[in-house]
Amino acid sequence: MSVLRTELQVALNDLHVAVMESADHYRYAAEFVADELTGKLFETLAEARDLLADEAEEAIRDSGDLPSVPDADRETGEQLLQRLEAVFSADEAADVIAQRLEGENEFEQLIKAPEMEVIDKDYPTLRRACLQSIDVAREKLKTAPAA
């Protein structure tokens, strides 16, 4: 492993961290949302993101690097804000769904960023799988019973 990361390694690590953060946010939301069906949906989406994180981690290791992990302090702060917003909302589940839809938008922006295109040469299906995951998540979130 080199001290300096290549553009590919940086992009793969950024992708890996974003996928893991997404899974963590879904898992956290599943723990506190009162609506059981919405909680199960969040758990399902977290599991799907875990599979993508595994793919990204494998690509990182294949590139000769070690995967990074999300910033735990930043994640904790984001999750606390998420929970506070939901607590003060008239419809907790709908508010959390709206938050996760916004998270999907942010995830998509990262994946579509020009600096992520370097991934496509060596791992042509990875970004495509992430974009498909976003489409699936959005569809499920928009049709969730609490939406």
Side-chain angles (χ1 to χ4, degrees), residues 6-16 115-116 118-119:
T6 65
E7 288 180 9
L8 173 62
Q9 291 169 333
V10 170
L12 286 170
N13 266 293
D14 288 350
L15 176 69
H16 181 250
E115 58 270 14
M116 297 303 254
V118 69
I119 294 172

Side-chain angles (χ1 to χ4, degrees), residues 15-123:
L15 176 69
H16 181 250
V17 168
V19 173
M20 289 178 53
E21 285 176 348
S22 175
D24 291 346
H25 286 304
Y26 277 118
R27 198 168 286 106
Y28 179 76
E31 291 175 6
F32 77 83
V33 72
D35 182 70
E36 188 176 330
L37 290 175
T38 303
K40 288 186 186 300
L41 170 62
F42 291 161
E43 288 172 10
T44 301
L45 293 172
E47 290 168 5
R49 293 291 159 85
D50 286 338
L51 295 175
L52 283 174
D54 291 344
E55 283 184 52
E57 182 175 335
E58 185 177 318
I60 292 166
R61 291 181 188 281
D62 184 55
S63 77
D65 197 12
L66 295 174
S68 300
V69 295
D71 180 335
D73 291 336
R74 192 178 114 228
E75 263 193 353
T76 299
E78 289 172 349
Q79 291 169 348
L80 178 62
L81 287 174
Q82 176 183 342
R83 191 168 198 159
L84 285 172
E85 286 178 23
V87 165
F88 292 111
S89 172
D91 186 349
E92 177 193 64
D95 186 69
V96 177
I97 288 172
Q99 291 173 16
R100 293 297 84 233
L101 283 167
E102 179 59 33
E104 293 301 318
N105 291 339
E106 293 170 9
F107 185 38
E108 181 180 45
Q109 287 176 358
L110 174 90
I111 292 169
K112 288 185 173 181
E115 58 270 14
M116 297 303 254
E117 291 175 5
V118 69
I119 294 172
D120 296 340
K121 181 181 176 206
D122 294 317
Y123 306 97

